[in-house]
């Protein structure tokens, strides 16, 4: 069972990597704008780099080849274990990614930690007391949380934590305390949804036959919820949090930019906007690996939590 | 089960977090200046991308740029050029040392320059250099194929900085830029911060602060927050709406500085109606430049009369400006034959209404609103405008096809602090006849002659006179209409003294800054 899953995921990974790199490369190749000129704008710090300079770099980047030739050149490089380098910084793609990956990892883990520790208890509480005061308050706040733009939430947290209280660093990347405000900001949106998913899932589980059986057996409500319901109700929440975790790696650009965290999302957006194609490809491959790994983790966790899947597989 | 798992997960996360993000606390009794801007140097090698390393003052170049945008001595105390203009002799200042104690000599400068010319061929490739020689310790001779009066201006670019031999590793890559400047490079974390410390043995004015932390913050709003919490003392490049909030506050100082970038409209001089000089002049009179600055730019902008802001040495300060005068505009339009013969409020000529296509792009956020204001102003003198706001590349391709009447653009003027380049690309017929962003397909023999004449001499005063004349002719002939100059806005806490914004952004000159 384990082996099939692992093998499956590995095959999936290869397909995903080929597909995603081909799509990204094509899209970038057909986007308007001259990568050479865009690169020079950044390296020389000028709006309009001299024409001769652009022509020179154009040649260095091999932009005169048709796009499929360039893709094959890139692919053969990757097969040989070389992810290339950034035209802007001249650093290797690996170096760029290993620099930003831990930062995004910290951000993602802390946000998930914050959101899980707030949303799961609240979700359970609201499921057990449907339409109670807590339920109504949570419903209202999840609507508010979900509809607040990230930069606004970020400003509020910066103002409170950094300017008025002065206890937390406002922005930058240093020790763990630099991650608190951005993670809180990010978790606000996550809490709103996780809480609702937890609530729905719990309510559904409580309506199942086996719960009724357990209750009929004479077990206390408390024991039934703890031993039987929670485990099953957590599965959809776990799947949801898994996808969220993966999403943060590429989708937390606004947060990374406002809080000046040089993470993976910012690296991707910067390299896309500067058409730094080898770094973009490197980021996309990293995402592919992360997403597949997370899926694998979620699968395994599900396997562990839900015996019915296990037996079904056998 | 779940409990155990949860605890495991939390423990795991904490271990990773603690391992991944180590905390660094520093407690020192030194004066530290924290500043923040959005630029992140792309590389640690100043010869590849030099502007940020130069602004922070740890590397220096042969020549400097003063606050009028004029070339001044720096590492070279003087220079002269042979009568044929092909041999430049720089005399270097004596007694300068690199941060590692290596004496600064012509030989090191030569090696450093040769590396620059290769590493940044994109910048220096157009210099017709044949050889660089160091006949003695303090003399550097650069020989050229042909005359190139802008040579000193190019040698003020950060990419040509003097680096000590100790800056490179065995493969010739820069590992730590060792320069000659008032600050010593200490550390750099890409996309995070650069730290420099004071150079107590600097050859010029020794810095007052001991340490500078330059923090890279891509968002202006974040820089504002950092300034509010006093985490930083200088927030660079803020937007007008953010800066406005500080003007009334006593514990902050707002600084503004027009820079060498102009917002201007280019007329399509090949097509009706702008093939007629009178119509182009009429537009110049019909535009209320003051209103544009006040309404769109919240007052942070300087109205433009000529090509360069008047603070610049190269600006012609005696240009007769086009003052806002709708009556004069109407008269000129009437003279040009554009009258409202059918009474619909729109002028016409030979049965054709005066309907013009106005193209601009949104990448510079203020351009579309400026275009809208101009559209209304032109409407007042009976001109109908069709506004096309397209992304930069699409707008540019319309321009190259000639599918426009007016093109609004933000144009950088001094890639190097010398007017030759912008004159050649934007106003000389060699430049205007091909694709570019200056005057469009416009040709003036006198202007061509004057620009060419300025290339044959290296005498600054003579060149200035020639360029002054070019600027006057361009304003009079009006192939373009200058609207206003970009303004950089920085805000500092009020205890910061001696901070000044440089019009070419050549240096931050932080050695002059003190904390009261």
């Amino acid at each position: 069972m384990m082996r099939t899953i692992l093998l499956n995921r590995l095959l999936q990974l290869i397909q995903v990597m080929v597909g995603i790199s081909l799509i990204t490369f094509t899209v970038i190749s057909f986007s308007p704008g001259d990568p050479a000129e865009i690169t020079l704008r950044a390296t020389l710090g000028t709006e309009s780099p001299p024409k001769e300079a652009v022509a020179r770099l154009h040649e260095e980047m091999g932009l005169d080849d048709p796009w499929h030739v360039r893709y094959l050149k890139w692919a053969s490089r990757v097969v040989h274990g070389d992810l290339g380098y950034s035209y802007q910084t001249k650093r290797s793609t690996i170096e760029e990614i290993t620099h930003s990956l831990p930062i995004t990892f910290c951000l993602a883990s802390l946000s998930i930690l914050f959101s899980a520790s707030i949303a799961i208890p609240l979700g359970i509480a609201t499921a057990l007391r449907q339409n109670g005061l807590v339920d109504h308050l949570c419903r209202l706040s999840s609507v508010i949380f979900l509809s607040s733009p990230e930069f606004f939430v970020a400003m509020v947290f910066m103002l409170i934590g950094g300017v008025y209280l002065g206890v937390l660093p406002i922005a930058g990347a240093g020790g763990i305390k630099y991650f608190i405000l951005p993670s809180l900001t990010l978790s606000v949106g996550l809490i709103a949804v996780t809480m609702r998913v937890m609530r729905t899932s719990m309510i559904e589980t409580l309506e199942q036959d086996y719960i009724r059986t357990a209750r009929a057996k004479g077990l206390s409500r408390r024991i039934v919820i703890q031993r039987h319901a929670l485990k099953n109700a957590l599965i959809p929440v776990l799947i949801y949090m898994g996808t969220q975790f993966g999403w943060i790696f590429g989708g937390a650009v606004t947060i990374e930019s406002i809080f000046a965290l040089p993470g993976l999302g910012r690296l991707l957006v910067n390299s896309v906007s500067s058409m730094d194609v080898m770094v973009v490809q490197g980021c996309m491959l990293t995402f592919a690996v992360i997403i597949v790994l997370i899926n694998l983790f979620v699968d395994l966790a599900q396997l562990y939590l839900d015996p019915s899947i296990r037996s079904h597989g056998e | 089960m779940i409990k155990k798992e949860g605890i495991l997960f939390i423990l795991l996360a904490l271990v990773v977090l603690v391992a991944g993000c180590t905390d660094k606390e520093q407690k020192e009794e030194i004066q530290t200046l924290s500043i923040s801007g959005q630029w992140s140097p792309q590389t640690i090698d100043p010869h590849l991308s030099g502007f940020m390393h130069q602004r922070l003052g740890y590397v220096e170049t042969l020549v400097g740029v003063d606050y009028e945008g004029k070339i001044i001595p720096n590492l070279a105390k003087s220079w002269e050029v042979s009568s044929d203009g092909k041999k430049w002799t720089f005399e270097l200042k004596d007694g300068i040392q690199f941060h590692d104690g290596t004496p600064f000599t012509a030989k090191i400068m030569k090696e450093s320059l040769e590396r620059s010319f290769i590493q940044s061929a994109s910048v220096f490739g157009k210099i017709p250099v044949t050889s660089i020689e160091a006949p003695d310790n303090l003399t550097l001779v650069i020989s050229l194929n042909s005359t190139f009066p802008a040579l000193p201006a190019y040698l003020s670019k950060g990419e040509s900085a003097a680096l000590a031999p100790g800056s490179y590793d065995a493969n010739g890559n820069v590992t730590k830029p060792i320069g000659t400047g008032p600050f010593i490079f200490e550390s750099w974390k890409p996309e995070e911060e650069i730290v420099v410390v004071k150079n107590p043995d600097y050859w010029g004015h020794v810095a007052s602060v001991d340490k500078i932390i330059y923090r890279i913050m891509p968002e202006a709003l974040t820089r504002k927050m950092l300034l509010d919490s006093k985490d930083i003392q200088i927030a660079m490049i803020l937007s007008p709406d953010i800066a406005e909030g500080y003007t009334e506050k006593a514990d902050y100082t707002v600084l503004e500085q027009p820079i060498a970038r102009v917002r201007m409209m280019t007329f399509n001089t090949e097509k009706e109606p702008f093939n007629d000089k009178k119509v182009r002049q009429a537009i110049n009179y019909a535009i209320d430049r003051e209103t544009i600055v006040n309404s769109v730019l919240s007052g942070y902008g300087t109205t433009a009369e000529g090509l360069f802001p008047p603070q610049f040495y190269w600006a012609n300060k005696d240009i007769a400006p086009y003052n806002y005068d709708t009556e004069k505009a109407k008269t000129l339009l009437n003279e040009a034959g554009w009258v409202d013969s059918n009474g619909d409020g729109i002028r016409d000529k030979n049965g054709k209404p005066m309907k013009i296509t106005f193209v601009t792009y949104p990448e510079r956020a203020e351009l579309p609103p400026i275009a809208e204001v101009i559209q209304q102003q032109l409407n007042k003198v009976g001109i109908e405008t069709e506004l096309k706001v397209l992304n930069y590349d699409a707008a540019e391709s319309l321009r190259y096809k000639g599918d426009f009447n007016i093109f609004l653009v933000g144009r950088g003027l001094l890639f190097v602090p010398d007017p030759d380049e912008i004159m050649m690309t934007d106003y000389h017929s060699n430049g205007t006849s091909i694709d570019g962003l200056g005057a469009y397909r416009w040709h003036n023999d006198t202007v061509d002659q004057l620009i060419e004449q300025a290339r044959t001499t290296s005498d600054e005063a003579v060149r200035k006179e020639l360029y002054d004349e070019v600027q006057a002719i361009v304003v009079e002939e009006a192939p373009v209409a200058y609207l206003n100059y970009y303004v950089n806005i920085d805000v500092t806490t009020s205890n910061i003294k001696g901070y000044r914004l440089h019009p070419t952004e050549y240096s931050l000159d932080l050695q002059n800054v003190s904390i009261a």
Side-chain angles (χ1 to χ4, degrees), chain A residues 15-62:
Chain A
Q15 289 170 8
V16 168
M17 281 173 123
V18 173
I20 211 166
S21 66
L22 192 61
I23 294 171
T24 334
F25 202 92
T26 319
V27 169
I28 292 193
S29 303
F30 287 97
S31 321
D34 181 351
E37 187 172 347
I38 294 168
T39 305
L40 283 176
R41 269 184 213 148
T43 42
L44 302 182
T46 172
E47 201 83 340
S48 32
K51 280 225 147 63
E52 300 86 346
V54 174
R56 246 172 242 273
L57 191 66
H58 202 85
E59 213 182 295
E60 186 199 318
M61 292 165 81

Side-chain angles (χ1 to χ4, degrees), chain B residues 32-47:
Chain B
T32 305
L33 174 69
S34 289
I35 64 175
S36 180
Q38 75 265 48
W39 309 281
S40 172
Q42 299 292 331
T43 131
I44 198 170
D45 186 347
H47 290 165

Side-chain angles (χ1 to χ4, degrees), chain A residues 190-257:
Chain A
L190 301 180
I191 289 170
V193 185
T194 314
M195 198 162 71
R196 304 305 293 170
V197 175
M198 184 71 233
R199 178 182 181 271
T200 319
S201 163
M202 191 53 143
I203 291 173
E204 268 172 22
T205 315
L206 288 177
E207 281 164 3
Q208 297 292 317
D209 290 342
Y210 64 85
I211 299 288
R212 211 175 310 140
T213 315
R215 285 287 279 156
K217 216 160 61 172
L219 291 178
S220 73
R221 186 174 146 94
R222 198 186 144 91
I223 300 273
V224 169
I225 290 167
Q226 269 184 7
R227 287 216 194 130
H228 300 271
L230 189 57
K231 219 166 154 186
N232 286 299
L234 267 179
I235 293 173
V237 181
L238 199 74
I239 295 175
Y240 172 73
M241 290 203 308
T243 46
Q244 284 306 316
F245 192 74
W247 173 83
I248 295 174
F249 276 86
V253 185
T254 324
I255 298 286
E256 289 182 348
S257 178

Side-chain angles (χ1 to χ4, degrees), chain A:
Chain A
M1 185 67 192
M2 233 353 217
R3 199 179 302 154
T4 358
I5 293 186
L6 286 176
L7 207 69
N8 254 332
R9 291 301 178 203
L10 193 70
L11 280 175
Q12 197 188 355
L13 182 62
I14 294 169
Q15 289 170 8
V16 168
M17 281 173 123
V18 173
I20 211 166
S21 66
L22 192 61
I23 294 171
T24 334
F25 202 92
T26 319
V27 169
I28 292 193
S29 303
F30 287 97
S31 321
D34 181 351
E37 187 172 347
I38 294 168
T39 305
L40 283 176
R41 269 184 213 148
T43 42
L44 302 182
T46 172
E47 201 83 340
S48 32
K51 280 225 147 63
E52 300 86 346
V54 174
R56 246 172 242 273
L57 191 66
H58 202 85
E59 213 182 295
E60 186 199 318
M61 292 165 81
L63 290 169
D64 293 324
D65 290 337
W67 72 272
H68 58 274
V69 175
R70 276 184 281 143
Y71 179 73
L72 288 177
K73 276 187 184 164
W74 173 82
S76 80
R77 241 186 142 129
V78 173
V79 172
H80 290 94
D82 175 12
L83 280 177
Y85 66 97
S86 156
Y87 290 116
Q88 290 219 356
T89 65
K90 311 280 176 196
R91 278 194 299 275
S92 72
T93 306
I94 301 277
E95 218 177 310
E96 296 278 0
I97 289 172
T98 47
H99 179 72
S100 50
L101 193 60
I103 289 172
T104 308
F105 188 78
C106 283
L107 179 67
S109 324
L110 257 192
S111 321
I112 292 289
L113 201 68
F114 283 148
S115 68
S117 52
I118 296 172
I120 292 179
L122 278 180
I124 296 172
T126 50
L128 298 184
R129 295 248 164 89
Q130 281 179 60
N131 296 322
L133 179 66
V134 181
D135 193 16
H136 282 301
L137 281 180
C138 285
R139 190 176 301 156
L140 181 70
S141 47
S142 82
V143 171
I144 295 173
F145 283 178
L146 208 56
S147 47
S148 320
E150 277 179 339
F151 69 85
F152 171 73
V153 180
M155 289 299 127
V156 172
F157 277 122
M158 278 180 172
L159 271 177
I160 297 172
V163 180
Y164 293 129
L165 299 176
V167 285
L168 288 167
I170 289 175
I176 189 159
K177 57 181 182 195
Y178 284 85
F179 287 92
I180 296 178
L181 289 183
S183 306
L184 278 176
T185 310
L186 205 52
S187 65
V188 162
L190 301 180
I191 289 170
V193 185
T194 314
M195 198 162 71
R196 304 305 293 170
V197 175
M198 184 71 233
R199 178 182 181 271
T200 319
S201 163
M202 191 53 143
I203 291 173
E204 268 172 22
T205 315
L206 288 177
E207 281 164 3
Q208 297 292 317
D209 290 342
Y210 64 85
I211 299 288
R212 211 175 310 140
T213 315
R215 285 287 279 156
K217 216 160 61 172
L219 291 178
S220 73
R221 186 174 146 94
R222 198 186 144 91
I223 300 273
V224 169
I225 290 167
Q226 269 184 7
R227 287 216 194 130
H228 300 271
L230 189 57
K231 219 166 154 186
N232 286 299
L234 267 179
I235 293 173
V237 181
L238 199 74
I239 295 175
Y240 172 73
M241 290 203 308
T243 46
Q244 284 306 316
F245 192 74
W247 173 83
I248 295 174
F249 276 86
V253 185
T254 324
I255 298 286
E256 289 182 348
S257 178
I258 291 179
F259 288 99
L261 292 169
L264 209 54
R266 231 173 100 198
L267 179 67
L268 178 69
V269 168
N270 284 348
S271 49
V272 166
S273 60
S274 59
M275 300 182 90
D276 207 340
V277 71
M278 290 198 271
V279 181
V280 177
Q281 294 284 62
C283 289
M284 293 313 281
L285 293 186
T286 314
F287 290 140
V289 173
I290 289 171
I291 299 288
V292 170
L293 278 182
I294 287 169
N295 278 341
L296 179 68
F297 175 78
V298 170
D299 280 355
L300 293 179
Q302 213 174 334
L303 206 64
Y304 174 74
L305 285 174
D306 188 350
S308 74
I309 300 181
R310 232 178 307 170
S311 56
H312 186 75
E314 281 154 12

Side-chain angles (χ1 to χ4, degrees), chain B residues 433-450:
Chain B
S433 57
I434 58 169
D435 294 344
L437 288 171
Y440 183 85
R441 310 280 188 262
W442 175 75
H443 178 220
N444 183 297
D445 285 329
T446 327
V447 165
D448 281 6
Q449 258 171 34
L450 290 167

